[in-house]
Each structure stands twice: as C-alpha cells, then as structure tokens.
Amino acid sequence: MTGLVNIVRKKADKRCLVAGKLKKEGCNVSLKDAPESRVIIDFDKPGSPISQNDSKCDYLFVADEEEIGWIVPIELKKGKLDSSKVIKQLKAGAKVAESWVSAQVSVNFRPVVVFGATHRAQIDSLKKNKIKFHKKYEVIRTMKCGRALKGVL
C-alpha cells in the first residue's frame, strides 16, 4: 500500500468524507470492484477545502492498491454538459489533491466526467483537454452515468 488514503484522510475535514454512493443531480457512479482502501471527499459538504462559491468538481476519489495509489477528481452531469466549465471543476479538484499529496508519492491520476445525455461535441472537447497534476498532464476520461468507476482506473 502507498499510504495515500491515510495521507488524504488526515488532511481532509471529516465532515466532507463520504462512504456510500457517488450520486449527484440524478447521475451516479458504481464503486463495484473499486479498490476497498479508499477515501472519498464530497466538495459540496461542510468542511470542503474548496469554498462553495468557487468552481469545484463533485468528488475526489482516493484509493490505495498494492503498489499504486489513485487520485480521481470526478464531475457528475446528468443534464447539459459545458466542457469549459467541467475542465475548471476538475482542475480545482486536482489542485486540492496536489496540495495534500507530495509529488514523491506514486499515484495514477485520472480526471473523470460522468454524464447522462450530452452533445458529442462536448465529449470530444473534453477528451482533447488534459488536467495537470504534479507537472504531468492526464487526459480526461468520460463515462456514462451508472457505470463502474473501475472501468476508467
């Protein structure tokens, strides 16, 4: 284990930690087969490290597996998706994770947008953009509401 979950759990306010389902705006993500050693931050809860008035993604999923950790900012959108807004939201989640986790910790970074129905052009726009995490850029992964997060890890 990388110890990533413990690092984040110590930094995050306990009030914004969630244990159950990832669900917002009628869109959800299944945690089936996702790593068991995990912590999930809900940026809409009290104690969030991002002000309620600032741009933010819905969740930050952090997990440990045998040799590697996972940091996954997640934005859920059931309705219309605005790619430029979503990119800002994912960047905000990545910035929080960067402030909590040293660049020396071995992690896989996966920004994810979960969507219902949307225009293909918005999805294509998302896939052309990358989110920076500790000087490395990662393409945005997309998935449909209701699918398992494990599919993008």
Side-chain angles (χ1 to χ4, degrees):
M1 297 287 181
T2 64
L4 183 60
V5 169
N6 288 333
I7 292 167
V8 172
R9 197 178 300 276
K10 287 177 186 174
K11 303 265 184 175
D13 186 311
K14 309 250 181 294
R15 296 175 296 164
C16 64
L17 301 181
V18 294
K21 296 180 180 180
L22 303 183
K23 185 176 182 178
K24 298 269 173 121
E25 299 180 16
C27 183
N28 69 309
V29 175
S30 168
L31 294 176
K32 184 178 190 253
D33 298 326
E36 290 294 323
S37 177
R38 63 182 175 231
V39 62
I40 303 167
I41 290 89
D42 183 336
F43 288 118
D44 290 327
K45 296 269 186 192
S48 169
I50 302 175
S51 165
Q52 295 305 305
N53 299 324
D54 291 337
S55 186
K56 61 191 173 308
C57 57
D58 291 314
Y59 297 103
L60 183 64
F61 176 90
V62 179
D64 271 326
E65 287 191 298
E66 291 297 319
E67 301 287 325
I68 196 82
W70 291 96
I71 294 181
V72 185
I74 303 171
E75 178 62 22
L76 281 72
K77 294 287 185 192
K78 183 179 180 184
K80 188 176 179 182
L81 188 151
D82 176 347
S83 62
S84 61
K85 182 179 177 185
V86 169
I87 290 165
K88 288 179 190 173
Q89 292 170 307
L90 292 172
K91 284 180 179 179
K95 189 174 179 180
V96 168
E98 270 186 335
S99 73
W100 287 349
V101 179
S102 163
Q104 282 70 44
V105 177
S106 181
V107 300
N108 282 321
F109 176 70
R110 294 285 189 276
V112 175
V113 176
V114 184
F115 64 92
T118 193
H119 294 288
R120 185 80 220 163
Q122 293 297 317
I123 299 299
D124 291 343
S125 174
L126 285 172
K127 289 183 177 183
K128 290 177 186 172
N129 283 278
K130 294 181 179 182
I131 305 295
K132 183 174 138 183
F133 181 76
H134 289 311
K135 299 182 182 178
K136 293 180 184 174
Y137 290 85
E138 186 66 36
V139 73
I140 298 169
R141 306 308 204 281
T142 60
M143 59 187 269
K144 288 270 198 176
C145 293
R147 299 265 169 92
L149 184 62
K150 184 66 176 173
V152 295
L153 298 182

